[in-house]
Amino acid sequence: NGKLAVKGKAADVDTAAKYDLTFDLDHPDLGWFLGGADEKAARRPFTLKAKVKGAPGQGGQDMDVDAVLSFAGGALKAKGKAVGVPAAPKYDLDFNADFPDTAAFLRALSPSTKAAGKLGPTKLVAKLQGDSTNVAFTGLTGNIGPANISGEARANYAGPRAKYTVNLTSGDMPGEFFGAPAAASAPTPRGGAASGGAAAGGTLQKVEHWSREPIDLGWLLANDAEVKLQSSSIRLGKYRVANAQVEAVLANGALELRRFTGKLFDGNLDVKGKLVGGTARNLETTFSLEQFDVQQAMHALADSDRATGRASVRGNLRGVPRTEYELISTLDGQAAIDGT
């Protein structure tokens, strides 16, 4: 339960309303305000302070708006004009975000986000425009933690599911954004690693420690999205993918990674994949790393500099993501490596 206080003046409410009001909302759960309340998630308290001054205009009320949404130790601010309220609203606002702790900010927006570590502050500015079914953040610039960001983000709510379109350019993006502060050791395929042009396949061993709890893929049906990202680098633990380009599409319960390319160990990385939810759950991916520096790879993977030269690896993996246990148990595919 929240608390709402309203102060100010209003006149001619029954005919041509004029008003100058201040709203002050104090609420224990940001999820309620964002429309995604989750009883299992920790409560995220917030305050909303808004000044609204309005009068009759063409097609409805015209308003001057100045709003501040505070949570996670920072604030989102929007200031500008809205017209045609409530029948056909349109708005044109200056937007900015200022949060001292990026990880806390991201987790507050989405409790399932695994952002961690000391990422530093988030500071963003943009033009926020829209109407009853569309929202657009254009001219977006600033930084999310250590990563400089520019681009735009749009949302459309006219269809059966909301659709989000994001097109961003970024600087160096740390793995802590994705909850990956350090490189994880990879499971070993049965029969050992492939080498010298030979192929390797089969299921993976030692699945006892994997969870048998169902993997929740309901989020695949919650929204649709298209995301494009160009980054000077994406770092995941010891691994740094330079000149990274990512393109992903979420539609009708399936997430498709159409492109993840860049330079890894001075080789050309190319990864594609698809995750399907519902009753036909499936995970599949193809990958290749062409002409990478073996010494760089061995140093990152095994802290060894004994091998040198150039090599290439290509392969694919498939699995059924019902539980972690079943995913690892059903994971199979092929890989081939050759080098000089």
Side-chain angles (χ1 to χ4, degrees), residues 30-116:
L30 183 66
W32 168 83
F33 181 77
L34 298 178
D38 185 349
E39 293 182 358
K40 297 180 181 180
R43 291 298 182 97
R44 298 157 285 164
F46 74 94
T47 62
L48 174 64
K49 298 181 183 295
K51 295 180 180 180
V52 180
K53 185 176 182 180
Q58 292 184 355
Q61 289 282 312
D62 291 352
M63 303 177 180
D64 292 322
V65 178
D66 187 352
V68 180
L69 177 64
S70 300
F71 61 94
L76 301 175
K77 299 179 181 180
K79 184 176 182 179
K81 294 185 177 296
V83 300
V85 180
K90 294 182 180 180
Y91 47 90
D92 188 342
L93 309 170
D94 293 324
F95 168 87
N96 74 76
D98 191 345
F99 289 84
D101 185 339
T102 291
F105 165 57
L106 296 176
R107 290 195 302 269
L109 287 178
S110 176
S112 62
T113 298
K114 296 182 179 180

Side-chain angles (χ1 to χ4, degrees), residues 149-214:
I149 296 288
S150 64
E152 64 178 30
R154 299 177 182 271
N156 179 277
Y157 301 100
R161 289 185 297 273
K163 180 176 180 180
Y164 302 98
T165 304
V166 180
N167 193 339
L168 296 176
T169 300
S170 82
D172 181 49
M173 185 169 288
E176 287 85 350
F177 278 171
F178 316 105
S185 57
T188 304
R190 182 178 296 152
S195 61
T203 58
L204 302 182
Q205 294 178 308
K206 296 184 179 180
V207 297
E208 293 83 0
H209 64 288
W210 298 101
S211 172
R212 295 175 185 260
E213 291 294 319

Side-chain angles (χ1 to χ4, degrees), residues 125-137:
V125 297
K127 177 65 73 172
L128 172 57
Q129 298 170 309
D131 53 32
S132 59
T133 57
N134 295 280
V135 178
F137 290 87

Side-chain angles (χ1 to χ4, degrees), residues 162-317:
K163 180 176 180 180
Y164 302 98
T165 304
V166 180
N167 193 339
L168 296 176
T169 300
S170 82
D172 181 49
M173 185 169 288
E176 287 85 350
F177 278 171
F178 316 105
S185 57
T188 304
R190 182 178 296 152
S195 61
T203 58
L204 302 182
Q205 294 178 308
K206 296 184 179 180
V207 297
E208 293 83 0
H209 64 288
W210 298 101
S211 172
R212 295 175 185 260
E213 291 294 319
I215 297 174
D216 182 7
L217 295 181
W219 57 272
L220 290 171
L221 284 168
N223 303 294
D224 291 343
E226 293 185 12
V227 176
K228 292 183 179 180
L229 171 67
Q230 292 184 316
S231 177
S232 59
S233 69
I234 296 176
R235 289 184 285 115
L236 297 171
K238 296 180 180 179
Y239 313 116
R240 178 178 181 270
V241 180
N243 300 322
Q245 296 192 49
V246 180
E247 294 182 12
V249 174
L250 173 61
N252 302 316
L255 175 62
E256 182 181 2
L257 179 62
R258 293 184 174 178
R259 181 181 188 183
F260 179 22
T261 60
K263 300 287 286 188
L264 176 64
F265 307 136
D266 200 35
N268 296 317
L269 176 69
D270 188 352
V271 181
K272 296 180 176 67
K274 190 171 187 178
L275 173 63
V276 179
T279 57
R281 291 192 175 201
N282 186 52
L283 172 66
E284 57 185 31
T285 182
T286 62
F287 58 88
S288 66
L289 182 58
E290 301 287 344
Q291 290 298 301
F292 64 91
D293 186 307
V294 174
Q295 188 175 43
Q296 288 187 33
M298 291 299 294
H299 181 74
L301 294 168
D303 198 22
S304 171
D305 296 323
R306 295 182 180 181
T308 60
R310 293 275 173 175
S312 297
V313 62
R314 308 168 195 90
N316 61 76
L317 289 171

